[in-house]
Amino acid sequence: MDSTIIQPLHLAWCSGALSGAPLLTKSTTLQDLPGVFADHTCWQSLAGSKPVYHVEMFATPDRPGELYTGVTHLMPGKVGEEFFMTRGHFHARREQGEVYIGLRGEGLLLLQDEQNSTRLERVYPGSVHTIPGFTAHRLINTGNEILSALAVWPCSAGHDYSALKNGFALRVVDDAGSVRVMEVNHD
Ligand SMILES: O=P(O)(O)OC[C@H]1O[C@](O)(CO)[C@@H](O)[C@@H]1O
Ligand SMILES: [Fe+2]
């Protein structure tokens, strides 16, 4: 993986080094995101190997009460007019929440509960977001540089992607240079 992608953000990954937890990086490219973006034809035409995001995290031992600490680095880009975004998920253990902190760039955190009510929060350096339990979350890069956000979540939370098989109720697109939020009708 091209290390220059993450390099500009030299996080002092201190405690992990002390506790010996290695830093893991999980990369997601366009080909890993079938059905996520609205414009499937455009998604197919783009290079599948194009990086969309990387998650750097400590391999915290998965013991009761332990927390994962990770940074999602979401690239600027679009599929058609739709901004690059993470897959988005509920936690397998629905009651588990998560905290996000904006580190770099400009974007949105899309939150959606199990009744499909949604809200968007602006993500920017220093923004702090508490993701309640029972709430799916997706990061969206609406800027022209890498959007990076630190996340802290319980090791026991897990990820449930299947609960979002119809996707989120909102999509965020570039409308002639402006960010436009569109409702998605799922019927
Ligand atoms: O798993 P997704 O929806 O692709 O999101 C990327 C990452 O964002 C987080 O919520 C926080 O970094 C991780 O749990 C997740 O792997
Ligand atoms: Fe999460």
Side-chain angles (χ1 to χ4, degrees):
M1 183 197 63
D2 174 0
S3 61
T4 56
I5 282 173
I6 294 180
Q7 282 311 315
L9 192 67
H10 293 288
L11 282 175
W13 288 103
C14 304
S15 56
L18 293 179
S19 65
L23 197 56
L24 300 178
T25 301
K26 184 170 136 267
S27 297
T28 301
T29 62
L30 271 178
Q31 64 200 3
D32 299 320
L33 299 169
V36 168
F37 295 93
D39 189 336
H40 189 68
T41 307
C42 181
W43 173 80
Q44 283 179 310
S45 70
L46 295 171
S49 59
K50 186 173 180 58
V52 180
Y53 56 101
H54 309 276
V55 179
E56 274 183 316
M57 61 184 279
F58 279 132
T60 310
D62 185 353
R63 289 191 293 258
E66 293 284 358
L67 298 172
Y68 282 133
T69 307
V71 177
T72 298
H73 302 280
L74 178 58
M75 303 302 129
K78 290 184 287 191
V79 175
E81 292 314 307
E82 191 171 14
F83 291 109
F84 274 7
M85 55 192 173
T86 60
R87 196 190 314 270
H89 59 268
F90 278 100
H91 288 149
R93 287 200 33 189
R94 285 288 191 283
E95 78 284 1
Q96 305 279 354
E98 186 160 0
V99 172
Y100 270 33
I101 299 173
L103 295 177
R104 168 174 61 173
E106 172 77 29
L108 294 168
L109 175 60
L110 172 53
L111 300 170
Q112 180 167 304
D113 68 18
E114 293 181 305
Q115 292 68 44
N116 283 344
S117 63
T118 55
R119 71 172 189 274
L120 286 163
E121 296 182 358
R122 264 194 64 228
V123 180
Y124 51 88
S127 64
V128 181
H129 311 265
T130 51
I131 302 171
F134 302 94
T135 305
H137 38 289
R138 162 178 275 171
L139 205 53
I140 301 166
N141 188 339
T142 57
N144 300 314
E145 62 172 303
I146 295 174
L147 173 66
S148 297
L150 176 82
V152 181
W153 67 105
C155 293
S156 59
H159 294 88
D160 179 356
Y161 299 104
S162 60
L164 287 155
K165 59 185 175 305
N166 291 330
F168 282 77
L170 296 180
R171 287 190 182 277
V172 182
V173 299
D174 180 349
D175 181 3
S178 301
V179 174
R180 183 154 73 94
V181 178
M182 298 172 62
E183 290 197 2
V184 179
N185 50 357
H186 283 308
D187 44 8

